[in-house]
Amino acid sequence: MIQYFKNIFIAIWTILVGLKLTFKHLFVRAVTIQYPDVKLKLPERARNRLYVNIDDCIGCRQCEMACPVDCITIETVKALPNEDLGVTSTGNKKRLWVTRFDIDVSKCCYCGLCVYPCPTECIYMTDVYEFSEYNRHNLIYHFSNFTPEEAELKKKQVEEFELEQKMKKAQKPAEASVNNPGAGS
Amino acid sequence: MQDFLNMLIASVIPLLFILVYAVVILWVEIKVASHVQDRLGYMYTGGFHGWAQPIADLLKLLTKEHITPVNSDKVLFTLAPVIVFASSYAAYAALPFTSTFVAANLNVGVFYIIAITSFVVIGILMAGWSSNNKYSMLGAMRSVAQIVSYEVPTALSILTVIVVAGTLNLQEICQMQKGGLFNWFIFKYPPFMFITFLIYFTASLAEVNRTPFDIPEAESELVAGYHTEYTGMKFAMFYLAEYANMFLVSGISAILFFGGWNSPFGDFMSGPAWGVFWFVLKGLFFVFLQIMLRWTLPRLRVDQLMYVSWKVLTPISFVNILIVGLWALLK
Ligand code: SF4
Ligand code: SF4
């Protein structure tokens, strides 16, 4: 019987204690922020959207290799001997045209593994994190300066050049064989 | 014709009041909920703290598609929300908003309110059963079990007040408490009237299905209880009925224990216009308390619910009515 009244008393008392607490919180400053209007400062080394400074890229494919989800696609074309691509800002000599450099950020898991091996430090994380799209294909970022047509053109050029080289090479042995009938067949 | 017009006006006023109040209290509920949890809640719609959000919500509900489940009982399914809302709306007829306005000055006002609000049970059971869905069904069963069992302590505590007042007319009960704070019934026969009030308040919480007695709707167990299958305006009707009921029981608390439309300062700030102010203020205070309790207390289990009703509230209110009755008799 005593326990019964005690229980009732405790019930009422705890309700009052609870009410006091919630009432106090009614006037506590909200801990949430108005997100699109107010944004929290990101930590210094936050990993968000990738960016590639294509002018510095030497097309070494180390980032493509490192990516665990294979979301980087790189295609390169050798530069012709008469073309000078210049040097990167870190002083490395550029020898390849990067005709395609696509990152599918919809697959990217922001691990940052592609950032470390880059010899010229041209692929890095930015602090942009609002880049949602209505179409998934818009999430494939094209960093290369080449349009697909230009890339095609470049490839053809190189192929032609290589063909030319081959022809030259093929011609040379032919000339040699005239002078020296014993060699070759 | 004149009579009809008068009746129309008298019946439209509570309806308008319910609509306006529901919009306001929807906003208050969300804001209180978010601030209790240290959040901000509505901030955009309409400018200042999203005051227009409930209006937008209401418009959305109004324009939504009516979906009637294929295997439901169409007639009952449509009728249920109407009955639930109509019964709580009808109860407003006997509420004296001020000394000069009460839609129907009934001599059996209290009895009428208790009787008419019991209709809610039928509406809820109808809704649950006709939806042909296990969650709705369970919710309705729970709701009925709960409301029926809590009707006992509610009626008993109201009866205690009737013993003190000696009348069933709500307007007369208000008039009896005229003349300042200490004439209110809550301060009579201390502390028994206060205990009566506690019982009434607890039981009325259960009657309107509010937390901690919201097991009929228990989101985490029953999706939404008896109104799981409802959409659009029919769903809004249930919502409206819930909020209307909240003010109804709060208003009755105010009338029975806190002097209704009487000013707490005697003649100061009293009069018909002030009457509305005081009555609505007192009512809203208890609604606010109900909202606060919702964000404070966890939900009871079904057996705990029955325990509270049958083993705590009912016996105590029986003892209470005896003591108050004897005291009133011997005085
Ligand atoms: S951050 Fe990780 S997942 Fe994203 S591109 Fe770089 S290596 Fe691939
Ligand atoms: S590691 Fe750096 S330089 Fe090499 S391909 Fe990737 S981005 Fe270009």
Side-chain angles (χ1 to χ4, degrees):
Chain A
M1 198 65 189
I2 292 169
Q3 192 57 41
Y4 173 81
F5 284 109
K6 225 181 188 169
N7 283 347
I8 293 174
F9 178 75
I10 288 174
I12 294 173
W13 181 249
T14 45
I15 287 171
L16 288 181
V17 170
L19 268 181
K20 193 181 140 209
L21 191 75
T22 40
F23 201 72
K24 243 198 321 215
H25 274 271
L26 208 52
F27 301 102
V28 167
R29 258 187 87 84
V31 293
T32 53
I33 54 163
Q34 290 295 92
Y35 160 62
D37 296 344
V38 188
K39 284 175 190 165
L40 286 180
K41 210 178 150 327
L42 286 174
E44 206 178 323
R45 293 171 54 188
R47 300 202 296 257
N48 295 291
R49 187 168 70 176
L50 278 167
Y51 180 72
V52 180
N53 182 2
I54 199 69
D55 293 335
D56 272 3
C57 176
I58 57 169
C60 66
R61 291 180 175 232
Q62 298 220 41
C63 50
E64 187 186 24
M65 230 85 90
C67 179
V69 293
D70 283 347
C71 62
I72 304 178
T73 319
I74 297 173
E75 272 173 19
T76 51
V77 170
K78 253 192 243 155
L80 302 181
N82 57 352
E83 287 171 328
D84 185 18
L85 293 181
V87 290
T88 64
S89 57
T90 48
N92 302 45
K93 180 134 179 50
K94 292 208 276 187
R95 291 191 180 85
L96 297 164
W97 293 108
V98 184
T99 51
R100 184 164 163 210
F101 199 121
D102 292 352
I103 300 182
D104 189 348
V105 269
S106 62
K107 283 195 221 152
C108 177
C109 64
Y110 309 101
C111 60
L113 288 178
C114 53
V115 173
Y116 307 119
C118 180
T120 60
E121 279 164 24
C122 66
I123 183 166
Y124 51 84
M125 295 289 186
T126 56
D127 56 1
V128 183
Y129 52 89
E130 294 157 313
F131 48 95
S132 44
E133 292 280 356
Y134 284 105
N135 192 337
R136 214 187 317 161
H137 299 295
N138 295 345
L139 281 172
I140 301 174
Y141 285 70
H142 307 286
F143 288 102
S144 173
N145 288 330
F146 286 79
T147 61
E149 293 80 44
E150 281 173 345
E152 218 37 58
L153 211 71
K154 206 77 209 165
K155 245 183 249 168
K156 247 191 214 136
Q157 256 179 30
V158 171
E159 263 165 32
E160 269 168 27
F161 175 76
E162 274 176 357
L163 213 66
E164 238 171 67
Q165 288 303 84
K166 245 192 213 153
M167 297 275 265
K168 269 186 199 160
K169 258 188 202 155
Q171 267 169 16
K172 259 183 204 156
E175 279 166 20
S177 64
V178 174
N179 298 341
N180 189 359
S185 55
Chain B
M1 192 61 203
Q2 191 60 38
D3 262 9
F4 177 73
L5 220 62
N6 281 346
M7 258 148 55
L8 197 70
I9 291 170
S11 56
V12 162
I13 289 175
L15 188 62
L16 279 182
F17 172 77
I18 292 175
L19 289 176
V20 173
Y21 145 85
V23 168
V24 173
I25 215 67
L26 253 170
W27 181 82
V28 170
E29 167 125 49
I30 297 292
K31 281 312 254 190
V32 167
S34 30
H35 281 281
V36 161
Q37 296 164 358
D38 293 353
R39 295 184 287 118
L40 282 165
Y42 299 151
M43 285 308 273
Y44 279 103
T45 327
F48 177 74
H49 277 256
W51 62 270
Q53 186 63 44
I55 300 172
D57 282 348
L58 220 67
L59 281 178
K60 184 202 80 176
L61 281 174
L62 273 170
T63 52
K64 268 204 157 176
E65 184 190 357
H66 284 278
I67 299 172
T68 314
V70 180
N71 288 327
S72 66
D73 188 324
K74 308 266 176 332
V75 180
L76 295 187
F77 188 78
T78 322
L79 206 58
V82 181
I83 287 186
V84 170
F85 178 68
S87 62
S88 60
Y89 169 48
Y92 274 71
L95 277 193
F97 276 84
T98 177
S99 48
T100 48
F101 177 77
V102 47
N105 195 4
L106 298 172
N107 278 327
V108 287
V110 179
F111 182 64
Y112 164 77
I113 286 180
I114 294 177
I116 203 96
T117 46
S118 301
F119 259 104
V120 175
V121 180
I122 297 176
I124 288 176
L125 195 58
M126 237 183 210
W129 206 300
S130 65
S131 297
N132 208 352
N133 163 323
K134 55 180 179 276
Y135 294 124
S136 307
M137 181 69 190
L138 279 172
M141 300 280 255
R142 282 183 179 190
S143 179
V144 171
Q146 172 179 329
I147 294 180
V148 167
S149 43
Y150 275 87
E151 208 124 86
V152 178
T154 316
L156 280 173
S157 52
I158 290 179
L159 199 61
T160 319
V161 181
I162 305 295
V163 167
V164 175
T167 172
L168 286 168
N169 189 325
L170 284 168
Q171 190 68 284
E172 279 174 29
I173 292 177
C174 281
Q175 243 127 34
M176 278 179 166
Q177 303 177 61
K178 246 195 168 117
L181 196 64
F182 294 102
N183 277 3
W184 291 357
F185 281 162
I186 185 101
F187 298 113
K188 266 199 166 173
Y189 310 119
F192 297 105
M193 285 309 271
F194 186 70
I195 294 173
T196 314
F197 166 68
L198 281 186
I199 293 168
Y200 175 75
F201 186 74
T202 319
S204 68
L205 263 184
E207 287 227 32
V208 296
N209 297 336
R210 293 290 293 185
T211 330
F213 305 108
D214 67 339
I215 59 159
E217 293 165 30
E219 299 101 330
S220 39
E221 304 164 30
L222 292 180
V223 188
Y226 53 84
H227 51 56
T228 306
E229 296 288 354
Y230 282 88
T231 50
M233 210 47 218
K234 287 184 209 148
F235 175 74
M237 290 273 253
F238 279 117
Y239 238 73
L240 209 60
E242 181 180 332
Y243 284 112
N245 269 329
M246 272 166 74
F247 186 83
L248 183 69
V249 294
S250 306
I252 295 174
S253 303
I255 293 165
L256 295 182
F257 300 98
F258 293 88
W261 39 258
N262 283 305
S263 152
F265 314 114
D267 280 339
F268 180 62
M269 288 171 88
S270 68
W274 280 112
V276 176
F277 170 75
W278 287 118
F279 177 69
V280 172
L281 188 75
K282 287 167 189 174
L284 286 185
F285 172 76
F286 289 113
V287 172
F288 175 72
L289 205 61
Q290 287 178 350
I291 292 174
M292 282 302 282
L293 279 172
R294 171 164 181 193
W295 301 108
T296 306
L297 300 177
R299 186 183 306 128
L300 290 185
R301 225 165 41 214
V302 181
D303 61 319
Q304 289 167 333
L305 189 88
M306 290 300 157
Y307 176 90
V308 172
S309 170
W310 293 110
K311 285 184 152 176
V312 180
L313 296 180
T314 309
I316 293 182
S317 55
F318 264 121
V319 174
N320 215 30
I321 192 172
L322 265 180
I323 297 174
V324 171
L326 273 179
W327 195 333
L329 205 65
L330 294 176
K331 210 171 64 167

